[in-house]
Amino acid sequence: MEKLIVLALAAMLALPATPSRALDTDLEPEKGYVSRRLQSLPPLDVETLYGLGFREPTGQVRARGKPRGIVALTFDTEIPNGQEAHETLASVLDTLREAGVRATFFVVGAWARANPSWLRQMEAQGHEIANHSFSHRPFSGRSEEEITHELGWVDEAVRSATGRLPTRLFRPPYGCIDEVAYAVVADQGYEVVGWSVSGEDASRKTETAEEVLASLGKVRSGDIILLHTNRRVTAQALPRILEELASRGLEAVRVTELLAAREGGVPDRSKKGLRRCGTGVAGLGSSGPGS
């Protein structure tokens, strides 16, 4: 009998281990939770695993394993209010929702006042709404009163539509800003944000989705991606952009999430794209013409 027990134990030990259902650090977007082992770790260990702090999972498609970095996906709304702009924004929002990605929309106040339903949809999907001026006139050579009014009018348009003020982020029209305007904007509680890569999709520089994707170049962790909502080519390129980011192990997040990760070692490229109209702005960074 003792011999049979020994043989039974030996047979059990020889059985192959049950394969792991998923990588320990994998998110499970279809269920919206993190694996049990990751949930049981102390907060500090979770932050160390991700390198930038624990955040609510977005459910977006990504490369297997943990993301190797993060980028901010941003869209500027433009003054055009025609059918192409409406169709583009609808498609962009649908693509982001299906991918589980949350982005930051820098809205022009005149557009925001005319499109409260779009603002409510952005808010409902968890996107950030940020300030892109009221008139889309350059923020260079403007008086303090003018700048204060432009910022306030956008605040009021967003609050009227959504019941909430926009996120305290400001992107100057065309990336143009001088030292006086920069100081006034900062005094109003905004952080000035540029971009580090652009899809060149606001004008006719790009005619196809492939050209938009090529314009972005090699996106790196910490980059802020600039896109627009007024041309169909942007909507056509967006699924490819998300796929490319995932293939590189990059997670697309909102700007505030990217900025919060700076202390965790994510490169800060938030001042790229800012310039004095016609020249570079010393100390603010420059990456060419803007939005």
Side-chain angles (χ1 to χ4, degrees):
M1 184 66 176
E2 185 175 338
K3 187 175 181 180
L4 289 173
I5 292 173
V6 171
L7 290 173
L9 287 173
M12 290 174 62
L13 291 172
L15 290 174
T18 302
S20 174
R21 184 169 57 88
L23 291 178
D24 284 335
T25 56
D26 274 352
L27 295 179
E28 301 182 20
E30 72 279 3
K31 294 184 179 178
Y33 62 86
V34 185
S35 64
R36 291 187 180 87
R37 195 188 76 82
L38 194 57
Q39 284 180 325
S40 66
L41 292 174
L44 179 61
D45 287 346
V46 175
E47 292 173 4
T48 301
L49 279 171
Y50 277 84
L52 44 87
F54 179 77
R55 298 184 310 280
E56 178 186 353
T58 61
Q60 64 184 297
V61 177
R62 64 180 59 164
R64 188 166 178 79
K66 69 176 182 179
R68 293 190 294 274
I70 58 175
V71 298
L73 189 59
T74 73
F75 297 85
D76 288 0
T77 70
E78 300 295 331
I79 297 296
N81 196 35
Q83 188 63 25
E84 181 176 10
H86 283 298
E87 291 175 358
T88 297
L89 182 53
S91 180
V92 164
L93 289 173
D94 284 347
T95 298
L96 294 175
R97 176 179 51 77
E98 290 166 4
V101 175
R102 294 173 181 172
T104 301
F105 287 83
F106 287 89
V107 302
V108 172
W111 177 92
R113 185 176 286 177
N115 292 279
S117 61
W118 285 123
L119 293 174
R120 286 191 288 271
Q121 185 170 340
M122 292 173 187
E123 174 80 10
Q125 289 185 210
H127 302 298
E128 283 183 331
I129 300 173
N131 199 315
H132 194 34
S133 83
F134 187 83
S135 65
H136 207 265
R137 289 174 52 207
F139 263 46
S140 184
R142 307 280 296 278
S143 71
E144 179 176 347
E145 184 179 22
E146 285 182 295
I147 294 169
T148 301
H149 284 164
E150 288 240 357
L151 296 172
W153 290 334
V154 178
D155 282 355
E156 185 54 38
V158 174
R159 181 166 56 183
S160 176
T162 68
R164 298 175 58 181
L165 288 172
T167 304
R168 308 318 280 173
L169 302 172
F170 173 73
R171 174 172 284 162
Y174 313 106
C176 297
I177 194 165
D178 59 23
E179 287 82 354
V180 172
Y182 193 97
V184 173
V185 171
D187 188 58
Q188 294 293 317
Y190 288 90
E191 176 158 2
V192 181
V193 175
W195 62 92
S196 53
V197 292
S198 171
E200 300 291 348
D201 58 332
S203 63
R204 299 297 165 182
K205 290 183 179 179
T206 50
E207 295 293 341
T208 65
E210 289 73 18
E211 289 176 335
V212 173
L213 192 63
S215 295
L216 292 175
K218 187 174 182 179
V219 180
R220 304 165 293 169
S221 181
D223 274 334
I224 298 177
I225 300 171
L226 170 64
L227 297 168
H228 297 79
T229 63
N230 61 319
R231 293 183 64 216
R232 291 188 184 92
V233 68
T234 305
Q236 294 163 0
L238 185 56
R240 296 270 303 277
I241 292 171
L242 296 178
E243 289 173 4
E244 183 67 18
L245 292 176
S247 72
R248 298 180 187 179
L250 296 172
E251 180 183 7
V253 300
R254 296 165 290 195
V255 171
T256 52
E257 293 171 282
L258 184 72
L259 298 182
R262 289 179 292 193
E263 294 182 4
V266 174
D268 183 7
R269 301 191 180 97
S270 62
K271 299 301 182 282
K272 290 282 187 180
L274 302 180
R275 61 193 176 94
R276 187 191 303 279
C277 292
T279 63
V281 178
L284 299 183
S286 177
S287 67
S291 163

